[in-house]
Amino acid sequence: MKRALITGITGQDGSYLAELLLSKGYKVYGLTRRASTQITGRIDHILSHVELLPGDLLDQSSLVEAVEASKPDEVYNLAAQSFVQTSWNQPVLTAEFTAVGVTKMLEACRKAAPKARFYQASSSEMFGKVQAVPQIESTPFYPRSPYGVAKLYGHWITVNYRESYNMHASSGILFNHESPRRGVEFVTRKITHNVALIKHGLATELRLGNLDARRDWGFAGDYVEAMWLMLQQDKPDDYVIGTNETYSVKEFVELAFERADLDWKKYVKLDERFMRPAEVDLLIGNPEKAKKVLGWTPKTSFKQLVNMMVDSDLKLVQESK
């Protein structure tokens, strides 16, 4: 039985990845920070099948202990301060978790499980002010937020450990990936959740920032399969994971309101508070390398994704009324 350790197991990606690994017969361990409130909502349905270990990316010794306890064949480092907007308000905390935390996790693996295969969750935000369209693995990086800068550090330190210590360490440069499990602070889930509230008469408006920003949006459930495939390869490498299609926030809004049979123009208000200090205007990832080497392609279309999220939130709000 293969053993896997997932940092960030209680997050969107961690929950889908844990499900995937369990379906493949893995013994799954998850690293969780101590919290005074319950944070396992996304994995409650599989909680009896995974083993949670205490640990924190800011505490090196706890990471070593978690690696020693889990004796992993594979380590998936998904934990981070993952909200771009928050990174402007908490740039130092973002750097500590999202950048230096990667080094601490790599060090823990190097010392306690040097043969383990390591996955680092890199981000399309590293491309930021894009230097080429679409973006591929060799496209120059130009991050436009403290989050993007921190992710870039995490990406390059993973490359450095791979080349310096011969570690099987790969990075997935994932473009935006969403799901019904996305946090409500993220724009996609903010949209679908508010559509549901409006539909059920519990809200009257939705305030958003830049409607013209364009993103490459995929389904998180599809993307975790790419993570797993990377660690099944003989050689570690870096891969862009996206759909090679781009849609604006406005197009997401239109589809979401349409799904609920609402006119978005009656409810959406522009709000300066949600504008970024430095905007990322266009992200679109070409996953040709992942398709060729990993045999991976996205299965869920943009419209299917939006409909899935709206339907889920309509049901969620209905049940909570």
Side-chain angles (χ1 to χ4, degrees):
M1 180 184 287
K2 276 191 175 181
R3 302 158 72 91
L5 173 63
I6 304 171
T7 75
I9 193 172
T10 58
Q12 170 189 255
D13 293 7
S15 66
Y16 281 112
L17 179 61
E19 285 177 351
L20 176 71
L21 296 179
L22 287 171
S23 75
K24 294 182 180 297
Y26 279 65
K27 169 67 176 172
V28 177
Y29 296 85
L31 188 79
T32 57
R33 279 191 297 159
R34 188 198 169 278
S36 55
T37 55
Q38 189 78 350
I39 57 169
T40 59
R42 294 183 182 94
I43 59 169
D44 278 345
H45 62 296
I46 56 171
L47 209 47
S48 61
H49 302 289
V50 301
E51 186 171 334
L52 300 182
L53 301 171
D56 193 309
L57 288 186
L58 302 186
D59 179 31
Q60 182 77 58
S61 62
S62 72
L63 300 181
V64 173
E65 287 174 14
V67 174
E68 287 176 342
S70 57
K71 299 180 177 64
D73 299 291
E74 298 170 5
V75 175
Y76 296 86
N77 187 41
L78 310 184
Q81 190 299 98
S82 59
F83 189 43
V84 176
Q85 195 69 35
T86 296
S87 78
W88 295 105
N89 301 322
Q90 298 179 302
V92 176
L93 180 74
T94 300
E96 288 173 342
F97 271 114
T98 309
V100 180
V102 183
T103 313
K104 291 181 178 178
M105 199 65 215
L106 282 163
E107 268 295 282
C109 291
R110 185 173 76 88
K111 291 176 177 177
K115 298 297 183 185
R117 297 187 172 193
F118 184 90
Y119 171 83
Q120 167 59 16
S122 289
S123 168
S124 59
E125 288 285 334
M126 301 187 308
F127 292 119
K129 188 175 181 180
V130 299
Q131 304 299 293
V133 178
Q135 292 86 58
I136 58 174
E137 291 78 9
S138 59
T139 301
F141 298 119
Y142 195 140
R144 296 269 281 173
S145 66
Y147 171 79
V149 173
K151 276 292 185 183
L152 188 53
Y153 174 97
H155 179 79
W156 280 119
I157 200 68
T158 302
V159 173
N160 188 259
Y161 269 64
R162 177 169 74 215
E163 296 178 351
S164 301
Y165 301 114
N166 197 32
M167 291 176 67
H168 194 296
S170 297
S171 287
I173 307 172
L174 270 59
F175 281 67
N176 292 62
H177 46 292
E178 318 297 322
S179 77
R181 299 179 192 173
R182 193 56 139 155
V184 291
E185 70 274 19
F186 290 86
V187 68
T188 52
R189 184 73 197 293
K190 178 182 177 180
I191 292 167
T192 62
H193 186 62
N194 276 275
V195 163
L197 291 175
I198 292 168
K199 184 68 175 178
H200 286 290
L202 300 175
T204 57
E205 66 178 21
L206 167 60
R207 292 186 170 270
L208 294 171
N210 181 12
L211 294 183
D212 297 321
R214 302 185 70 85
R215 294 290 183 272
D216 180 334
W217 275 303
F219 173 48
D222 293 343
Y223 285 34
V224 297
E225 185 183 7
M227 300 177 187
W228 175 76
L229 285 167
M230 288 178 213
L231 298 199
Q232 310 316 305
Q233 306 307 306
D234 292 335
K235 293 182 179 179
D237 207 345
D238 306 323
Y239 298 88
V240 161
I241 303 299
T243 69
N244 208 20
E245 294 179 359
T246 185
Y247 296 91
S248 66
V249 174
K250 182 181 175 183
E251 287 173 298
F252 195 106
V253 166
E254 289 171 343
L255 271 180
F257 276 85
E258 180 185 307
R259 183 67 171 178
D261 198 26
L262 295 169
D263 180 0
W264 72 272
K265 293 176 183 175
K266 292 181 180 178
Y267 305 101
V268 175
K269 305 281 191 296
L270 297 183
D271 192 326
E272 291 283 330
R273 290 176 301 162
F274 301 115
M275 298 289 188
R276 292 186 184 185
E279 184 55 84
V280 174
D281 297 311
L282 169 65
L283 291 175
I284 175 170
N286 183 352
E288 189 59 35
K289 180 178 173 182
K291 181 179 180 181
K292 183 179 178 182
V293 179
L294 307 178
W296 179 87
T297 53
K299 300 181 180 73
T300 310
S301 72
F302 177 65
K303 187 172 184 177
Q304 287 172 326
L305 173 66
V306 177
N307 289 348
M308 176 201 308
M309 292 177 68
V310 172
D311 292 350
S312 173
D313 275 325
L314 284 170
K315 183 181 177 184
L316 193 69
V317 172
Q318 174 67 41
E319 291 173 349
S320 64
K321 282 177 75 174

